[in-house]
Amino acid sequence: MDSNAHTWLKKYPWLQDDPARLEVNLGIEKEGLRVTSEGQIAPNRHPERLGSTLTHPYITTDYSEALLEFITPVMHDVGEITSFVEQLHRFSLDNTPNEWIWPASMPCRIERELDVPIAEYGTSNPGLLKHVYRRGLWHRYGRIMQCIAGVHFNFSVGSSFWPNLGAEALKDAQTQDYFAAIRNFRRYSWLLMYLFGASPCVDRSFIEAYPAKKDELEQLDANTLFKPYATSLRMSGMGYQSDAQASLFVCYNRLETYLSTLKAAIQTSYEPYEIIGLKDSQGQFNQMSTNILQIENEYYSDIRPKRTTHSGEKPIHALFSRGVEYVEVRSLDLNPYAPSGLTEEQMHFLEVFMLYCLLKDSPEMGTRECTDAQKNLNLVVNEGRRPGLQLVNQNKKMSMVEWANHLLDEILQLARCLDKVHGTGSVKAEAVEKQRLPLQGSQYTLSWRVLNDTTAAGGFQSFGIQQSKRIAECFNLLTAEQQAHFEAIAKTSLEQQKALEAAPRIEFETFLRDYLAGF
């Protein structure tokens, strides 16, 4: 290995002798609204031909019946991820005639909140639980906000990354290292917002639904509002923000502190939610509880430690019992020009960026550093393209561009190391090098391109419709084998849901109480 490789692997000396153990696991979860040919949110239920949203491994819904979510298996190659997501797109479009999939993070024009159908998952207790949770999101934050979409990037390394350890020691090592990666991500995630933020504007209907969010927005045209230097309104106060969660200080120094904060929020009642009430006058659940968080997934974080759950298991229990399995990056806007939501170049960069966060020294973060990291993120999502923008680095102000170039210098060294280890030529190094261009001028950023093309299209709604159609034309027809494969998965998922609904079960209210009980 060259000296740069040794530098990057010094925390893990066993990797220096066997760098092939440095295997990266990737996956994405891409959201996208189904819309009519006129660019309105699709009013119909999730098509049965796509399968059951409760049990399908790859095609489900997020908040709304209209908000598709495509989930890839764990993969090692970004080309495989792209191909798989495009096949899911093609299969979905083939089974939703006269519909498109909205390409942007901020939603299409939605004139009335009740035009957004809340996702249904059938009559089994797990299905009802998912629906009641979403009803809670409606009453707490509104339906239209829940139509904001993104793409989640899942990252982990293979178990061979660590030396031979016993099960408990391996669990602890993985958990500690992933939390170290999360801390570094929080230090540097502003860079992703500058490079990949793609939601600088929004349709007027969103502001009409949330007039308090109009602050500091300007008129781009009759039906579009924007922030002049913003990179990602989705990640700003325009997006997922919650007064109830504003007081939460989630510590990522250790698993125990992370879980204890979320546990307290799940168990602490919140007066405005008490006013909403647990049930309505007809006895239908308004929400799962009246606490700050219904479940841990309600916490709006830009990155999460994750562990695959067993059937009926709470995520917080899975983390406590078995530690962190992977991390989920949640801050990424949909790239409206990329059929898969992210380009392969973006995914190559994200792979190296996350490995950089894992391998780089990551001391625990105190309150001041946590506050500075959040301020840096807020500055870039709101003002990232402002000339001369400065951030705080180790208690000192520093030019964002200067800091970004320094980070890219280090990330590039790691990218070259990875290319050499995995025999990928220079693909990862080139993906990093290409991020220099946006630092030369904000007119080369993705957010500027979206804003410019929105203006040229005559508004955000027109831009979204145009891109929906263009992207739909990008997908190859499925082969007969692929078609049969996805049809079989859809059929199996429907059968699995019916089996769940036919099985003996306790009353839902008892099921919900048991689910929420304990730690």
Side-chain angles (χ1 to χ4, degrees):
M1 295 294 293
D2 59 30
S3 59
N4 285 335
H6 279 287
T7 298
W8 281 109
L9 301 180
K10 66 181 180 180
K11 283 174 61 180
Y12 306 94
W14 56 90
L15 292 176
Q16 295 187 38
D17 298 325
D18 188 10
R21 295 170 66 168
L22 190 59
E23 180 182 68
V24 179
N25 305 315
L26 306 172
I28 67 171
E29 303 164 22
K30 179 193 177 292
E31 301 163 347
L33 276 175
R34 288 189 294 113
V35 297
T36 66
S37 56
E38 292 78 32
Q40 303 297 315
I41 186 170
N44 54 305
R45 296 283 302 274
H46 182 81
E48 188 174 274
R49 289 169 298 195
L50 297 182
S52 164
T53 54
L54 180 65
T55 55
H56 199 296
Y58 310 127
I59 301 175
T60 184
T61 52
D62 195 297
Y63 174 76
S64 172
E65 285 287 289
L67 187 54
L68 286 171
E69 183 171 3
F70 298 144
I71 304 169
T72 72
V74 175
M75 294 179 168
H76 308 295
D77 180 78
V78 300
E80 292 178 352
I81 292 174
T82 298
S83 176
F84 192 83
V85 174
E86 291 186 358
Q87 289 173 36
L88 295 177
H89 263 278
R90 180 75 269 169
F91 182 73
S92 298
L93 289 171
D94 288 346
N95 287 282
T96 52
N98 302 316
E99 289 184 359
W100 313 104
I101 298 176
W102 192 253
S105 280
M106 300 308 286
C108 63
R109 183 167 300 158
I110 304 175
E111 302 287 0
R112 299 178 305 167
E113 185 170 66
L114 294 182
D115 288 341
V116 180
I118 300 176
E120 303 272 358
Y121 298 92
T123 60
S124 68
N125 281 334
L128 292 173
L129 186 75
K130 291 170 72 72
H131 176 70
V132 170
Y133 169 62
R134 284 154 177 78
R135 285 183 60 84
L137 298 178
W138 164 34
H139 289 295
R140 294 173 178 217
Y141 315 111
R143 295 191 186 194
I144 294 177
M145 185 189 292
Q146 303 302 315
C147 292
I148 297 174
V151 55
H152 300 164
F153 184 81
N154 297 327
F155 167 87
S156 67
V157 289
S159 59
S160 61
F161 178 85
W162 291 273
N164 294 327
L165 299 170
E168 193 65 22
L170 178 60
K171 181 191 82 169
D172 291 343
Q174 290 174 330
T175 295
Q176 291 168 13
D177 285 348
Y178 283 132
F179 266 89
I182 289 171
R183 291 195 296 275
N184 275 337
F185 177 88
R186 301 193 70 232
R187 291 178 172 108
Y188 311 129
S189 62
W190 57 264
L191 178 62
L192 300 183
M193 294 297 92
Y194 181 77
L195 297 175
F196 301 146
S199 55
C201 53
V202 65
D203 186 75
R204 61 162 175 80
S205 62
F206 187 89
I207 299 304
E208 290 170 356
Y210 303 99
K213 294 179 178 287
K214 191 175 181 179
D215 185 40
E216 299 180 15
L217 288 181
E218 298 182 14
Q219 199 86 21
L220 185 66
D221 57 58
N223 292 304
T224 309
L225 292 96
F226 78 117
K227 276 189 177 181
Y229 299 109
T231 60
S232 176
L233 294 183
R234 170 179 170 269
M235 289 297 295
S236 75
M238 293 285 300
Y240 288 116
Q241 300 292 323
S242 163
D243 291 339
Q245 296 182 28
S247 62
L248 296 180
F249 180 79
V250 176
C251 176
Y252 292 95
N253 287 334
R254 287 176 291 279
L255 176 64
E256 294 76 17
T257 55
Y258 174 79
L259 293 179
S260 64
T261 305
L262 293 184
K263 177 185 176 183
I266 293 170
Q267 296 178 344
T268 302
S269 191
Y270 183 61
E271 185 176 358
Y273 299 161
E274 292 175 1
I275 294 172
I276 293 171
L278 191 64
K279 294 182 179 181
D280 63 20
S281 58
Q282 283 75 46
Q284 187 173 12
F285 278 93
N286 287 328
Q287 51 191 335
M288 291 173 62
S289 75
T290 60
N291 297 336
I292 296 173
L293 300 178
Q294 299 175 92
I295 55 175
E296 55 272 39
N297 286 352
E298 191 177 342
Y299 176 60
Y300 293 140
S301 57
D302 56 358
I303 188 168
R304 282 181 185 162
K306 299 279 284 190
R307 162 65 64 174
T308 303
T309 58
H310 302 319
S311 177
E313 183 182 32
K314 294 175 66 175
I316 198 170
H317 290 172
L319 283 171
F320 179 76
S321 300
R322 301 188 299 284
V324 182
E325 181 182 9
Y326 65 98
V327 294
E328 177 188 56
V329 176
R330 301 171 50 80
S331 58
L332 298 167
D333 287 345
L334 291 172
N335 182 336
Y337 305 98
S340 300
L342 294 171
T343 65
E344 291 189 10
E345 179 184 294
Q346 285 178 292
M347 285 189 272
H348 281 301
F349 180 85
L350 288 164
E351 176 186 354
V352 184
F353 178 83
M354 289 307 301
L355 199 55
Y356 172 82
C357 290
L358 178 67
L359 295 177
K360 186 177 176 66
D361 287 338
S362 180
E364 293 189 354
M365 299 177 74
T367 302
R368 178 170 181 176
E369 188 178 11
C370 287
T371 301
D372 287 344
Q374 188 61 50
K375 287 181 178 178
N376 287 340
L377 182 66
N378 292 342
L379 272 172
V380 175
V381 301
N382 287 290
E383 303 284 334
R385 285 181 285 109
R386 182 181 291 279
L389 184 67
Q390 290 190 320
L391 305 178
V392 176
N393 180 15
Q394 296 181 338
N395 303 328
K396 297 178 181 178
K397 285 193 173 183
M398 183 178 189
S399 159
M400 182 197 73
V401 171
E402 180 183 351
W403 191 2
N405 273 310
H406 173 73
L407 288 174
L408 289 184
D409 287 342
E410 293 193 333
I411 295 169
L412 179 60
Q413 292 178 9
L414 179 57
R416 288 170 175 162
C417 169
L418 285 178
D419 279 329
K420 186 172 183 179
V421 167
H422 296 299
T424 49
S426 59
V427 64
K428 300 186 193 305
E430 289 175 1
V432 175
E433 283 282 21
K434 287 182 179 179
Q435 307 315 313
R436 303 279 192 187
L437 184 60
L439 299 177
Q440 296 175 19
S442 63
Q443 69 271 27
Y444 301 115
T445 59
L446 185 55
S447 56
W448 185 92
R449 182 183 176 188
V450 171
L451 199 59
N452 186 63
D453 288 352
T454 294
T455 301
F460 180 68
Q461 180 73 0
S462 297
F463 168 73
I465 293 172
Q466 289 179 12
Q467 285 303 118
S468 297
K469 294 178 179 178
R470 287 171 182 164
I471 285 178
E473 295 169 354
C474 293
F475 304 119
N476 296 322
L477 294 176
L478 296 177
T479 65
E481 182 179 5
Q482 290 168 340
Q483 180 73 25
H485 175 66
F486 289 119
E487 287 178 351
I489 294 174
K491 180 181 178 183
T492 298
S493 71
L494 292 169
E495 293 169 349
Q496 290 172 334
Q497 178 176 330
K498 289 179 181 177
L500 281 173
E501 294 173 347
R505 58 176 175 162
I506 59 177
E507 289 294 324
F508 176 71
E509 193 158 349
T510 303
F511 175 84
L512 176 60
R513 184 178 63 248
D514 292 346
Y515 182 84
L516 294 175
F519 178 61

